[in-house]
Amino acid sequence: MSIAIPVHDRLFWIGANDRATGLFEELWPMPHGIAYNSYLIKDERVAIIDAVKSFFGVDYLATLKGLLEGKKVDYLIINHIEPDHSGAIRLLREIFPGMQIVGNRKTAGLLADFYAITENVRVVEDGDELDLGRSRLKFILTPMVHWPETMMTFDQAEGTLFSGDAFGGFGTLDDGVFDDEISDTGTYEYEALRYFTNVIGKYSTMVQKALARLSGLDIAMVAPSHGLLWRKDPRRIVSLYDRWSRNEADDGVTIVYASMYGNTERMMEAVAHALSEERVGDIATHNLSRTHISYIITDAWRHKGIVLGTPTYNMKPFPMMDHFIRVMENKGLKDRVLGIFGSYGWAGGALKELTAFGERMKWELIEPVVEAKGAPTADILASCGQLGRNIAARVRQGIPA
Ligand code: FEO
């Protein structure tokens, strides 16, 4: 069942909590599910802002009809057409055939591509307004946060920013919908960071452009299409997004490693121990064979230092490491310091590829690069310790952007 939650006298949350889907985009784990936030503005004219995934359409319509009390929906505003928000669109059109779909030129193209919908579409430009009666909506085009058509809708009467994916996060809304209903918003902030790094981080430059567009707005509440509604302190999530999209990080190091028989793992322990002795901040250690990269990418975004350790496998980095560096390259994370270590049995090759990866990322390589043939000797472990100390020293100095 889906429920309606009043936000103010004419605005209702009518979203869906998805506790069934295991992976977002069939890629990113959702152990705490996800909410698809949809909003109903019941004014002189009635508008929905973003819908829900098709799976939830029937319950969604029942909730909507209960609230409408016989009224029709005049507008469906699409801030973002990815199917987690637009899947119920055909159902909505069947029930409300006169409903206009509101989006920008890019939205119109994608509506035709995804749903073969070309009629009753109202195309808006950046800065256009839509008057619902008391609510006066203004459209702000924010392309590539996360798709080309993404835009935000600002209710100038109430200061509510309907922001689409931006500022949203994984996790269903169980014990509250608003930030001021949650005693500890830390989990939601972490899940917003994980959503950002996994889904949106690649488009950080475009996020910065979008944030610049918001700087003049008097925002009383941020209402994203996933996760918490931020009304107690809406500027907090905006400032976090600013920091994340600038690739800013805390002191701390993420160690990412793979190990088949424990030799590379022993080297990891020597690096980690040295980092710990240097008290460099948070140290997150991830075995690539055991931890989903969703969480590793998130830690890499949090920390100034990244240390990669891998055995050579068929003259390449271990397959999970090979995958990890490709994903990181695709994400385009900037301004990190890099340490590299690893081992091989009879022929190396992996560390050359990790070094080339660091060069392509323009990350600063910290010496020494440490490689063991077979089991690491005492000298090799001492070099790993030196690598940890050098990384700690560089992280403390700060990374020039
Ligand atoms: Fe929530 Fe980009 O979809």
Side-chain angles (χ1 to χ4, degrees), residues 95-219:
I95 306 298
F96 305 108
M99 178 186 79
Q100 268 196 337
I101 298 179
V102 181
N104 55 69
R105 277 175 218 272
K106 295 272 173 52
T107 322
L110 291 164
L111 263 175
D113 295 342
F114 276 71
Y115 298 106
I117 292 174
T118 54
E119 290 179 3
N120 223 359
V121 177
R122 176 168 174 162
V123 173
V124 295
E125 306 285 343
D126 186 47
D128 279 359
E129 298 191 10
L130 180 64
D131 192 340
L132 299 179
R134 288 162 64 199
S135 282
R136 290 177 294 111
L137 305 182
K138 183 171 188 169
F139 303 109
I140 303 161
L141 271 56
T142 53
M144 298 314 302
V145 184
H146 147 227
W147 279 19
E149 88 299 357
T150 42
M151 64 181 198
M152 299 188 190
T153 300
F154 185 59
D155 183 348
Q156 300 167 98
E158 302 291 339
T160 305
L161 180 70
F162 300 96
S163 59
D165 274 353
F167 315 124
F170 296 119
T172 50
L173 297 171
D174 299 329
D175 44 358
V177 164
F178 303 101
D179 56 350
D180 54 35
E181 294 175 325
I182 308 290
S183 54
D184 174 14
T185 53
T187 304
Y188 285 91
E189 287 182 9
Y190 173 78
E191 289 294 304
L193 170 62
R194 194 163 69 86
Y195 190 89
F196 172 80
T197 62
N198 291 188
V199 179
I200 297 177
K202 177 176 180 61
Y203 308 109
S204 288
T205 308
M206 300 308 285
V207 171
Q208 279 291 310
K209 287 188 177 163
L211 293 178
R213 301 290 318 282
L214 304 182
S215 59
L217 300 182
D218 190 8
I219 299 171

Side-chain angles (χ1 to χ4, degrees), residues 24-25 36 80 82 84-85 146-147 165 195 199 225-226:
F24 187 74
E25 298 177 333
Y36 311 117
H80 181 24
E82 190 164 5
D84 53 330
H85 308 291
H146 147 227
W147 279 19
D165 274 353
Y195 190 89
V199 179
S225 56
H226 300 290

